[in-house]
Amino acid sequence: MKIYKAENYDKLSERAASIIGAEVVSNPECVLGLATGSTPVGTYGYLKKWYHAGLLDFAGVRSMNLDDYKGLKPDNEQGYYYFMKQNLFQDINIKPENTHIPDSMETDSEKACSDYERTIEESGGVDLQLLGLGHNGHIGFNEPGEIFEKNCHCVTLAASTVEANKRFFERAEDVPSQAYTMGIGTIMRAKKILLLVSGKDKSGILNRVINGPVTPKVPASILQFHPDVTIIADKDALSEVDLQERKGRTIYE
Ligand SMILES: O=P(O)(O)OC[C@H]1O[C@](O)(CO)[C@@H](O)[C@@H]1O
């Protein structure tokens, strides 16, 4: 596990974009696993900037998003396809047919999830998966539970997730109660993983992710077992994290 300490959110975003940019340059047909939420917005900002500066070319890149709410139309402003279009896709030259996200309008959950898992497999698998961290340790929409879900599945969102995400909706009742998400197994099959964490309010959970026991009660703790995981966190997010030397851990200032 590599842990980068970033001075602030902007430096975190720049560092994350440089890792994604390096992937795109070294493998122009790479499969990027992308994330929504507020944390990666700055990273997408740098990718757009470097694309416009002629440093990055996304013409051959394919993308797989982690998750989407079940039942929201693709043009719904709270839907994750809309989010990706607004925050990244419309400003770079990725081909729309190369961008993938679970089918939020598919009412048959099993079909939506098995179709998406197949799409990922047929792409050859995710080369670099970007992740944000939920306050309860969720990654994608994998909420704390009794088991690590292997594949894409339909989840009922935790009350705390609905609470955290209601800021994006007009009314709390508008937050969908269910979502389709890559499973923990799907995420762990990515060749490389990049987890971004910002803010003091995530510090306690980040410490459990990095130093705590690996448990489905803290879904992101499974990342301790991934052979190629990089965490970029700002000072605030690291304020309660024990960063003592450990085997397999490298810390970059
Ligand atoms: O980056 P944020 O907005 O704190 O969200 C953290 C996580 O929560 C989600 O938005 C889902 O609730 C994820 O998509 C994201 O990784």
Side-chain angles (χ1 to χ4, degrees):
M1 178 177 281
K2 293 179 205 133
I3 303 172
Y4 284 93
K5 285 183 181 179
E7 189 57 34
N8 53 39
Y9 175 72
D10 183 57
K11 294 284 176 210
L12 171 158
S13 302
E14 189 177 17
R15 167 77 63 185
S18 71
I19 292 174
I20 298 171
E23 185 71 32
V24 171
V25 170
S26 63
N27 180 5
E29 294 186 355
C30 65
V31 178
L32 295 179
L34 298 177
T36 52
S38 42
T39 313
V41 170
T43 303
Y44 295 152
Y46 274 99
L47 292 177
K48 290 189 285 192
K49 187 170 155 194
W50 295 340
Y51 165 72
H52 288 299
L55 300 173
L56 295 176
D57 179 8
F58 293 87
V61 170
R62 290 159 294 157
S63 72
M64 303 287 158
N65 259 80
L66 275 169
D67 49 16
D68 202 356
Y69 293 111
K70 179 179 175 181
L72 286 191
K73 294 207 179 99
D75 61 350
N76 186 304
E77 294 190 9
Q78 311 313 331
Y80 286 173
Y81 190 74
Y82 186 88
F83 174 99
M84 290 309 302
K85 220 168 123 189
Q86 292 295 315
N87 286 287
L88 184 63
F89 296 159
Q90 70 183 12
D91 284 298
I92 60 172
N93 66 336
I94 194 165
K95 295 188 180 116
E97 65 271 25
N98 284 348
T99 62
H100 303 277
I101 193 155
D103 183 357
S104 56
M105 289 306 289
E106 175 57 71
T107 51
D108 178 345
S109 301
E110 262 182 43
K111 180 171 177 345
C113 296
S114 58
D115 283 355
Y116 197 53
E117 193 72 43
R118 194 172 331 106
T119 303
I120 297 169
E121 267 170 40
E122 286 174 0
S123 75
V126 172
D127 292 299
L128 174 63
Q129 178 66 56
L130 180 63
L131 297 174
L133 181 67
H135 288 97
N136 59 5
H138 76 222
I139 43 179
F141 269 129
N142 290 276
E143 301 285 23
E146 297 306 315
I147 54 158
F148 289 116
E149 293 276 355
K150 288 195 186 69
N151 293 319
C152 295
H153 59 287
C154 179
V155 283
T156 296
L157 301 176
S160 61
T161 302
V162 173
E163 180 62 27
N165 289 358
K166 75 174 192 211
R167 67 191 196 273
F168 300 115
F169 290 80
E170 228 165 77
R171 299 167 310 166
E173 311 87 87
D174 295 339
V175 186
S177 57
Q178 290 190 307
Y180 297 138
T181 181
M182 286 187 194
I184 291 292
T186 327
I187 293 170
M188 289 293 280
R189 285 191 282 281
K191 294 173 192 92
K192 296 175 203 156
I193 291 183
L194 180 56
L195 173 71
L196 309 184
V197 193
S198 171
K200 214 171 168 28
D201 52 329
K202 301 252 179 96
S203 197
I205 192 68
L206 180 58
N207 189 44
R208 292 176 69 195
V209 168
I210 295 176
N211 294 311
V214 174
T215 164
K217 294 189 171 22
V218 181
S221 63
I222 191 87
L223 300 177
Q224 293 179 34
F225 290 160
H226 194 281
D228 193 345
V229 58
T230 300
I231 297 176
I232 309 179
D234 59 20
K235 271 190 169 166
D236 286 345
L238 288 169
S239 56
E240 290 170 38
V241 177
D242 171 5
L243 287 175
Q244 277 180 51
E245 293 282 315
R246 291 242 180 126
K247 202 167 165 257
R249 175 189 286 181
T250 319
I251 297 169
Y252 299 87
E253 297 287 335

